[in-house]
Amino acid sequence: MDIDLAQLIIRLALGPMLVLHGANKVWGGGGLTGTAGWFESLGLRPAWLHARVAAVTEIAAGVLLTLGLLTGLAAAAFVGLMVVAMLTDHRGKGYFVFKGGWEYVLLVAMVAVALAVGGPGTWSIDSLLGLDLAGPFWGVVALAGGAGAALGLLALCYRPARRGSVSESSGG
């Protein structure tokens, strides 16, 4: 059994996926303006700032995880991003992703925590540099740190429109 190969495969699945999500926020259909509009509709204020922070965080965390560099910290960023997505875009839509639910973001966060615990493997920059940023402690850092950062961000910046508010009912 080659755990290093398994860890590399997981990193190569998860890391580039998040890089592409971040790149899509910048260069996809509506670009950063469209992303900001979407974030505004979710209740993230100021939306223009959150669009940029989310894109940069997704690209950076995805690159770090792909390379196996600062893996525990990259995993914390993954968890934070997924918790924000779970509590904004996927909120109230149930579990299943095909109904818009939080199944997918929960799985991504859990796999990131597992990588923080298990480490990036021998074929990683962490290993090359002799960085030991893996183990149960780093799993807790990824889970608690990522979730804590997400909840702090939402406490400060999440202001969704109220159902039946004047702006929503008037279409404005």
Side-chain angles (χ1 to χ4, degrees), residues 151-168:
L151 294 174
L153 178 138
L154 291 172
L156 292 172
C157 303
Y158 185 49
R159 303 292 179 263
R162 291 193 174 116
R163 298 275 180 210
S165 69
V166 173
S167 65
E168 186 175 308

Side-chain angles (χ1 to χ4, degrees), residues 67-87:
L67 298 174
L69 176 60
L70 304 174
T71 303
L73 297 174
F78 266 76
V79 170
L81 289 160
M82 296 304 112
V83 169
V84 169
M86 185 183 302
L87 296 175

Side-chain angles (χ1 to χ4, degrees), residues 2 5 14 25 30 32 36 41 55 62 66 71 86-88 94 100 102-103 105 108 115 118 137 140 144 154 166:
D2 193 349
L5 179 58
L14 216 54
K25 284 178 175 59
L32 281 172
S41 75
T66 300
T71 303
M86 185 183 302
L87 296 175
T88 59
W102 43 270
E103 170 185 20
V105 293
V108 170
L115 275 173
F137 171 79
V140 170
L154 291 172
V166 173

Side-chain angles (χ1 to χ4, degrees), residues 17-75:
M17 176 273 306
L18 200 61
V19 169
L20 291 174
H21 273 260
N24 188 58
K25 284 178 175 59
V26 178
W27 299 289
L32 281 172
T33 301
T35 300
W38 174 45
F39 280 14
E40 180 76 25
S41 75
L42 293 175
L44 293 167
R45 314 272 194 272
W48 65 268
L49 177 62
H50 288 282
R52 286 157 177 79
V53 169
V56 167
T57 304
E58 288 176 352
I59 292 168
V63 167
L64 289 173
L65 198 74
T66 300
L67 298 174
L69 176 60
L70 304 174
T71 303
L73 297 174

